[in-house]
Amino acid sequence: MSAPWSALPSPIAEEVAECWESVFPEGVPAWLIEDEAVPESVLADAVGRSLFLRQTLERHVDQVRQAVGSRLLSEPTTPEYLVMRWQEYLEQVDGERALHSALRRFRREVQFRIIWRDLLRWADLEETMAAASAFADTCIDGALNWLYQDSCEQFGTPYGQDPVTGEEAPQPLVVIGMGKLGGRELNVSSDIDLIFAFPGKGETRGGRRSLDNQQFFIRLGQRLIQALDQITADGFVFRVDMRLRPYGQSGALALSFAALETYYQDQGRDWERYAMVKSRVVAGDQRAGQVLMDSLRPFVYRKYIDFSAFESLRSMKAMISREVRRKGLENNIKLGSGGIREIEFVVQAFQLIRGGRDRELQQRELLTILKELEALELLPSGVVSELRGAYVFLRNLEHALQGIEDKQTQTLPEDDLNRARIALIMGFDSWEDCQTVLDEHRERVATHFANIIASEEEEEAGESELAEEWQEIWLAEMDDESARDWLEEQGYENPEESCRELTELRDSRTVETLQTQGRKRLNQFMPVLLDALTEVENPSQTLSRVLQLVSAILRRTAYMVLLLENPGARTQLVRLCSESPWVAQQLAETPLLLDELLNAESLYTPPAKEELQDDLRQQMLRIPFEDLEEQMESLRHFKKAHILRVAASELKGTLPLMKVSDYLTWIAEVVLDHVVDVAFANLVSRHGYPRRSDGSACETDFAIIGYGKLGGIELGYTSDLDLVFVHKADPEQSTDGEKPIDNAVFFTRLGQRIVHILSTQTPSGQLYEVDMRLRPSGNSGLLVTTLSAFEKYQRNDAWTWEHQALARARGVAGCIETLEAFEAIRHDILCQQRDRSKLRGEVVEMREKMRASLGTPESRRSEVFHIKHDPGGIVDIEFMVQYLMLAWCSDHPELTQWSDNIRQMEELGRAGVLPVEDTEKLREAFITLRSTIHRRALQNLNSQVEGDAFPEERDYIQSMWKKVMRD
């Protein structure tokens, strides 16, 4: 008799033969093959198709038996069955830990059933998506019901106005499912995007002490997330992503209906409309939830036909395309060209554009909407048929990829065994056959996407007239002398050097070993580049700079194609590299930044802080918090892309110095805020939330204080960050998770994680160099200090120079209440009464020490002037301002409201501490010197200039130093 696996493809058959005895050490159980009527050949097929099925049979056979006993695997997985089965699990729950365990065991059973039926093709796509979505609904609602009752027993029941009747009544939590969960199209192994809402204001009743409704629901929400998301010995239920809520990770975890409605009405972004199309109440009070959904409908579906949706979807797709290029995701069937996301974009574009008029489009399920688009004659039947066929194929393929290991992935396998598994699951004789059909589907989707969504303005890769000589020079078909003469005629200022560099590149080992396609693209690109360089004043110098980039992209020719097909991007590249070697270096180090050159309008208009926050939030939505490596890479790219935009704007003259520093500071603040969120979420997932002295969970209660250039809103392109970390949680308490740690340990680890994310060298470099030496007691002090310890240190132990530093400090990221508490402490310390004569002596002494160690030696001052550290330089102004702040804040408390030199000078003039004429002249001198440093940074030059530079400014600053600090 042949083995049960004999009919399987050879790599799979070998794998099954090897593991069969370890899966069934006592033979195949009778209850499985007799009661369930599963032939051994089918069992071998299942074990061969999925590691997850195999490991579940191996490790949890008793649970599989219970599952089969409750309903045969041959029967469909219905919502009614899942609710009934959960009730059986719920009967064993007698506490929160038991709830966590029951949910995870329930997941294992249901996942086994769903993946079994899907991978053996006993279920069609519709059943699999519906079952996965119903399973999520059941888990969320089941956990919520138990936790709500338990929370009411602890804190009382929240009361407020019933949104349906308008009468006073107990308030429910409403859980909104977004994305595929909302559309009942969940993958077999997916995270879930949720938003928590509650009807309105009020307080709890009947508890030991009353709680504000929002506080109650935030705590309930935190417990619900832990019930689903926390990894325990039994695994987890779902990865929960809350970042689609208003303001993302920095927004409140639960919001009232009114707050949600106001946010979407006043601040809702286009991408949030897109996200809301599939939103659905998945748990909690459905009646109340319907009221909320009705109130949000006008935000999603406009009364008029709204063609602006195309533009916003294009922007979103462009962002995803950049991500695909950066991460090399061409093999990703969701995000890559012709993937699932493009089908979703096409369908949702029509929903957003016409959904307000055509109510039939206000449904959630993609396949249903495709039918409606055909019925409304918005898409031809042939297109609908091809999109439907591709969607079903791609989603089945996605489930096959995920079902192998119960792992969230959309990337095609590269090893033979998993390729054989995918081909078998998808019904093909070989991987090559499967790949051929997949490529056909993706090509059709990409074509329809381009026809429907692509911009009319997108330029064709025009074959403009190009002088043949450029080709001849690059391919060395012209003799050296003729090449030099031609380059000189075209305006190249150093033709000999340019010829030498071109020869060096052409003869380099990398170019010689390029494959045919790469060499072809390089031969197309170089003549076009040489021609483009004639548009700038310094073609030879610019060529040297651009060749750094060309060398970096020789094996990544997609970037050459980008520059060939986008003349506008080519023009910007040449212009920016002509004006700044620093920009050329940035582009060579990170070629992905070339994407920023595609849109000249956005390149020269860097976004304000609110737009930066929104941009970062969108970019990071697809990256789970636990994927720290990818978070770090994406943050580095975000920072570099936005700093490039600031540099481009400064070079073009559209941003004055003050604004440049503002933008660079905003970028740092937005990044820091996100880093706090990521680091905090990482630690909470392991240890739970830190607790306050009353036992409640901390939101974060942690803040980052910026000192130096960050505090003074004076960041440059390469500035490091002077940071101090504080928190206001109770250090005696511990966290509330399954593996609790002391709060003090939690916050120390939080600080360490933040420094790690910021300063670790990754393939994309460092995010920021971090300097923590200004914290209490410097390097020997604690990394993270409580606010009370920070205040005590500042009052009793801080040196004068530490109070000088405090004058330039301000809260830059983290918990708002903690930041406000810090500002109050700073105000009080700066306003202390001081002996002005003694203070002046200490400040002068510190200034002289700095000058001796960092300034130009006296013997060389006629040759070199250090703009920052020499007499008459920037630091003289900074020390004068700091002295005046510490000396006069007690008389003029309003001086403390600013942390930057410019506004402190203006305020000192307003208060009459210095004549306004002097503060204005000091301000002008300060701006002149700082502008020079900024400009020199873009030329890769340091802060040392000729010895006779800035004579008027230096004389004036030195006269003011004598007047303020000496007389």
Side-chain angles (χ1 to χ4, degrees):
M1 187 175 135
S2 60
W5 50 82
S6 58
L8 294 172
S10 57
I12 301 175
E14 287 163 23
E15 178 84 1
V16 176
E18 262 179 55
C19 72
W20 192 257
E21 274 192 38
S22 69
V23 180
F24 305 113
E26 296 168 15
V28 178
W31 54 262
L32 186 54
I33 53 175
E34 290 170 15
D35 303 350
E36 177 63 19
V38 176
E40 280 197 31
S41 58
V42 173
L43 193 54
D45 196 356
V47 168
R49 289 176 188 226
S50 169
L51 271 174
F52 167 72
L53 295 179
R54 172 177 121 192
Q55 286 166 355
T56 308
L57 283 164
E58 197 170 358
R59 298 170 189 172
H60 307 285
V61 69
D62 289 342
Q63 202 175 344
V64 175
R65 185 172 188 172
Q66 287 172 19
V68 170
S70 110
R71 171 172 280 210
L72 297 178
L73 291 173
S74 55
E75 293 183 35
T77 313
T78 62
E80 297 75 23
Y81 165 71
L82 290 168
V83 171
M84 179 202 78
R85 189 72 180 124
W86 167 246
Q87 291 306 318
E88 291 168 15
Y89 272 90
L90 194 57
E91 286 167 12
Q92 307 156 29
V93 173
D94 57 4
E96 196 160 357
R97 190 161 289 197
L99 174 72
H100 286 203
S101 177
L103 282 163
R104 283 150 183 76
R105 285 181 293 108
F106 180 52
R107 178 193 191 272
R108 191 183 299 129
E109 175 187 315
V110 175
Q111 282 294 92
F112 184 85
R113 177 180 293 281
I114 291 174
I115 289 174
W116 176 287
R117 288 183 54 75
D118 185 75
L119 296 198
L120 287 172
R121 292 293 178 256
W122 293 7
D124 61 9
L125 175 65
E126 212 162 308
E127 183 197 311
T128 300
M129 294 193 301
S133 305
F135 165 60
D137 290 2
T138 305
C139 290
I140 300 164
D141 203 47
L144 175 60
N145 288 339
W146 192 94
L147 290 166
Y148 182 82
Q149 292 303 324
D150 190 66
S151 296
C152 289
E153 284 169 26
Q154 285 186 53
F155 308 114
T157 304
Y159 270 79
Q161 198 176 59
D162 185 300
V164 180
T165 65
E167 293 173 11
E168 192 81 356
Q171 293 239 320
L173 182 70
V174 171
V175 181
I176 301 170
M178 310 290 283
K180 287 192 167 65
L181 171 61
R184 293 188 177 88
E185 297 163 340
L186 208 58
N187 297 326
V188 295
S189 184
S190 179
D191 55 3
I192 52 176
D193 295 293
L194 304 178
I195 292 176
F196 296 154
F198 60 95
K201 292 177 183 173
E203 289 187 338
T204 60
R205 298 178 192 172
R208 291 190 294 278
R209 63 188 186 85
S210 69
L211 266 185
D212 171 77
N213 278 0
Q214 186 170 33
Q215 291 248 263
F216 175 91
F217 287 114
I218 284 173
R219 289 187 188 185
L220 175 59
Q222 287 169 342
R223 292 176 72 190
L224 178 56
I225 292 167
Q226 284 183 325
L228 298 168
D229 187 280
Q230 199 164 56
I231 297 170
T232 72
D234 292 309
F236 67 99
V237 190
F238 285 100
R239 288 171 295 273
V240 178
D241 197 329
M242 299 297 299
R243 289 175 293 173
L244 286 177
R245 70 184 188 266
Y247 307 109
Q249 197 64 17
S250 55
L253 191 64
L255 287 170
S256 68
F257 288 7
L260 275 167
E261 193 177 350
T262 302
Y263 172 83
Y264 286 117
Q265 193 174 314
D266 297 346
Q267 299 181 50
R269 312 288 197 272
D270 284 333
W271 65 266
E272 287 174 307
R273 278 184 70 202
Y274 175 83
M276 269 284 167
V277 166
K278 286 188 183 292
S279 59
R280 170 176 69 88
V281 177
V282 295
D285 189 322
Q286 291 285 342
R287 261 178 354 118
Q290 193 54 51
V291 173
L292 173 63
M293 299 312 285
D294 289 345
S295 72
L296 298 180
R297 187 170 288 117
F299 164 67
V300 183
Y301 297 110
R302 307 286 158 84
K303 286 178 184 171
Y304 48 88
I305 294 178
D306 179 19
F307 285 106
S308 68
F310 274 142
E311 193 51 53
S312 57
L313 286 167
R314 263 180 228 127
S315 303
M316 288 167 69
K317 177 58 185 168
M319 190 170 77
I320 291 167
S321 298
R322 287 197 292 274
E323 185 184 3
V324 168
R325 269 200 291 273
R326 181 167 62 81
K327 296 186 197 169
L329 296 178
E330 289 77 11
N331 275 343
N332 185 300
I333 61 160
K334 177 181 175 183
L335 300 178
S337 174
I340 296 165
R341 182 55 57 87
E342 290 190 356
I343 304 174
E344 292 172 341
F345 271 18
V346 166
V347 170
Q348 283 169 290
F350 282 105
Q351 286 184 278
L352 291 173
I353 291 161
R354 308 192 73 101
R357 287 279 184 87
D358 299 317
R359 300 292 288 256
E360 305 94 319
L361 298 179
Q362 293 185 18
Q363 299 179 71
R364 300 179 183 89
E365 296 82 355
L366 184 139
L367 291 171
T368 305
I369 300 295
L370 272 176
K371 281 182 204 160
E372 296 294 348
L373 292 174
E374 186 178 8
L376 291 165
E377 297 184 352
L378 293 171
L379 280 179
S381 296
V383 173
V384 169
S385 173
E386 288 187 353
L387 289 176
R388 184 188 297 116
Y391 183 75
V392 171
F393 183 90
L394 288 167
R395 288 302 306 273
N396 278 330
L397 177 56
E398 182 180 35
H399 289 157
L401 292 168
Q402 295 182 354
I404 290 173
E405 292 186 69
D406 185 19
K407 186 177 168 188
Q408 187 179 13
T409 179
Q410 283 98 7
T411 304
L412 296 171
E414 293 183 1
D415 62 294
D416 291 341
L417 176 60
N418 279 320
R419 284 181 165 183
R421 282 177 171 142
I422 295 295
L424 178 64
I425 295 165
M426 295 298 291
F428 292 95
D429 293 333
S430 69
W431 168 254
E432 290 70 27
D433 291 349
C434 181
Q435 179 86 59
T436 300
V437 174
L438 168 62
D439 291 346
E440 287 167 0
H441 279 302
R442 288 182 69 171
E443 203 171 309
R444 285 194 283 267
V445 170
T447 302
H448 295 315
F449 177 81
N451 291 342
I452 295 164
I453 302 283
S455 163
E456 290 169 17
E457 295 84 39
E458 280 179 4
E459 302 174 78
E460 289 297 313
E463 288 292 321
S464 56
E465 284 298 311
L466 193 66
E468 286 176 6
E469 284 84 350
W470 295 122
Q471 187 87 17
E472 291 167 13
I473 287 175
W474 167 244
L475 295 175
E477 293 167 357
M478 190 185 281
D479 65 73
D480 289 354
E481 191 180 341
S482 303
R484 285 196 297 273
D485 291 347
W486 168 262
L487 287 174
E488 194 168 358
E489 279 171 35
Q490 303 308 311
Y492 278 71
E493 76 278 15
N494 191 343
E496 199 158 322
E497 178 65 11
S498 296
C499 281
R500 188 191 62 74
E501 287 181 328
L502 289 171
T503 304
E504 205 172 277
L505 174 66
R506 191 174 50 243
D507 296 345
S508 69
R509 174 97 182 115
T510 315
V511 170
E512 283 180 354
T513 55
L514 280 179
Q515 293 180 339
T516 311
Q517 179 73 345
R519 180 178 287 277
K520 184 182 169 192
R521 284 179 176 171
L522 180 65
N523 291 344
Q524 282 177 304
F525 175 65
M526 287 306 297
V528 173
L529 172 65
L530 292 170
D531 179 53
L533 287 165
T534 60
E535 299 299 317
V536 295
E537 286 179 14
N538 50 342
S540 292
Q541 187 182 45
T542 307
L543 174 65
S544 289
R545 294 170 183 175
V546 176
L547 287 181
Q548 297 173 65
L549 169 69
V550 174
S551 298
I553 62 174
L554 283 172
R555 296 202 184 279
R556 291 182 279 177
T557 55
Y559 293 115
M560 282 187 208
V561 174
L562 182 148
L563 290 166
L564 274 167
E565 293 184 354
N566 294 277
R570 212 160 53 232
T571 302
Q572 302 308 331
L573 169 71
V574 167
R575 184 180 297 161
L576 288 171
C577 290
S578 158
E579 291 177 0
S580 168
W582 182 83
V583 168
Q585 191 181 324
Q586 297 301 302
L587 290 166
E589 285 173 8
T590 312
L592 187 66
L593 293 173
L594 291 171
D595 279 315
E596 302 302 318
L597 310 184
L598 291 171
N599 184 337
E601 191 180 338
S602 66
L603 178 64
Y604 295 110
T605 49
K609 186 172 180 181
E610 196 177 271
E611 294 168 74
L612 277 170
Q613 287 168 326
D614 196 52
D615 187 16
L616 180 60
R617 189 175 152 208
Q618 272 194 75
Q619 282 192 34
M620 305 308 266
L621 273 175
R622 286 180 302 285
I623 306 169
F625 272 166
E626 61 268 20
D627 188 351
L628 203 54
E629 191 179 327
E630 188 50 42
Q631 286 275 346
M632 286 162 71
E633 282 297 292
S634 292
L635 279 168
R636 280 154 178 73
H637 175 67
F638 171 85
K639 178 206 168 188
K640 285 182 174 184
H642 283 289
I643 283 182
L644 175 67
R645 290 166 71 172
V646 175
S649 302
E650 182 171 13
L651 289 167
K652 197 176 183 188
T654 55
L655 269 192
L657 167 76
M658 300 291 291
K659 285 289 180 197
V660 169
S661 284
D662 282 356
Y663 279 103
L664 294 174
T665 304
W666 290 338
I667 292 166
E669 287 173 3
V670 167
V671 165
L672 286 170
D673 246 331
H674 184 78
V675 169
V676 172
D677 288 341
V678 172
F680 190 77
N682 264 251
L683 283 170
V684 166
S685 70
R686 292 181 189 186
H687 306 293
Y689 289 87
R691 278 189 287 230
R692 300 190 180 107
S693 46
D694 65 359
S696 64
C698 296
E699 278 291 287
T700 59
D701 289 9
F702 171 90
I704 298 181
I705 312 305
Y707 276 71
K709 285 192 172 67
L710 175 61
I713 318 174
E714 292 166 5
L715 280 186
Y717 292 104
T718 55
S719 298
D720 60 3
L721 302 184
D722 293 297
L723 306 178
V724 169
F725 300 152
V726 293
H727 74 89
K728 65 181 184 69
D730 185 344
E732 303 299 316
Q733 291 281 345
S734 60
T735 61
D736 64 3
E738 297 235 341
K739 297 178 186 169
I741 53 174
D742 291 344
N743 280 359
V745 175
F746 180 95
F747 283 107
T748 299
R749 288 186 187 171
L750 178 61
Q752 290 166 338
R753 184 65 57 89
I754 289 167
V755 172
H756 170 75
I757 294 170
L758 292 171
S759 59
T760 298
Q761 285 285 356
T762 74
S764 300
Q766 244 184 354
L767 198 46
Y768 287 100
E769 183 82 43
V770 175
D771 191 335
M772 300 294 298
R773 290 174 296 178
L774 287 171
R775 67 186 187 268
S777 304
N779 281 342
S780 59
L782 295 170
L783 185 66
V784 185
T785 325
T786 63
L787 269 175
S788 55
F790 178 85
E791 181 174 17
K792 188 179 173 189
Y793 178 85
Q794 291 292 342
R795 288 191 186 282
N796 304 326
D797 301 311
W799 297 84
T800 296
W801 65 264
E802 290 177 289
H803 284 173
Q804 283 180 250
L806 194 63
R808 296 186 72 191
R810 65 190 176 88
V812 292
C815 164
I816 290 168
E817 291 80 7
T818 310
L819 292 169
E820 286 170 351
F822 162 77
E823 290 298 344
I825 293 168
R826 174 180 176 272
H827 176 82
D828 289 351
I829 299 297
L830 294 181
C831 289
Q832 284 177 343
Q833 197 76 41
R834 291 173 173 84
D835 177 332
R836 287 174 189 150
S837 173
K838 182 182 173 204
L839 172 67
R840 185 188 293 148
E842 289 170 345
V843 173
V844 168
E845 185 186 350
M846 175 55 70
R847 176 70 191 103
E848 282 167 356
K849 276 185 190 169
M850 271 184 72
R851 193 177 288 152
S853 67
L854 298 170
T856 308
E858 206 151 338
S859 58
R860 294 195 59 231
R861 282 188 193 160
S862 59
E863 306 159 35
V864 175
F865 170 59
H866 196 300
I867 299 173
K868 282 176 70 178
H869 294 297
D870 283 351
I874 284 175
V875 179
D876 279 356
I877 299 178
E878 290 175 347
F879 269 55
M880 271 190 278
V881 171
Q882 288 160 18
Y883 160 70
L884 293 168
M885 290 283 290
L886 294 176
W888 293 96
C889 277
S890 53
D891 292 5
H892 302 283
E894 69 276 11
L895 292 174
T896 67
Q897 67 187 297
W898 308 116
S899 61
D900 61 290
N901 283 297
I902 296 287
R903 282 181 293 196
Q904 286 177 347
M905 283 187 246
E906 289 169 354
E907 207 59 49
L908 287 164
R910 262 197 292 275
V913 174
L914 279 182
V916 170
E917 186 187 343
D918 282 336
T919 58
E920 283 183 359
K921 283 181 79 174
L922 271 178
R923 180 178 174 278
E924 291 310 311
F926 184 77
I927 289 173
T928 300
L929 295 178
R930 274 206 47 231
S931 298
T932 304
I933 289 178
H934 266 279
R935 278 197 305 275
R936 288 177 67 80
L938 290 174
Q939 300 305 320
N940 278 341
L941 298 170
N942 62 22
S943 300
Q944 294 172 307
V945 293
E946 298 80 12
D948 58 357
F950 306 108
E952 289 175 24
E953 287 84 357
R954 286 159 67 181
D955 286 348
Y956 181 71
I957 292 165
Q958 285 174 290
S959 71
M960 284 301 295
W961 179 266
K962 190 163 178 289
K963 180 174 162 185
V964 173
M965 306 305 292
R966 297 287 188 195
D967 294 349

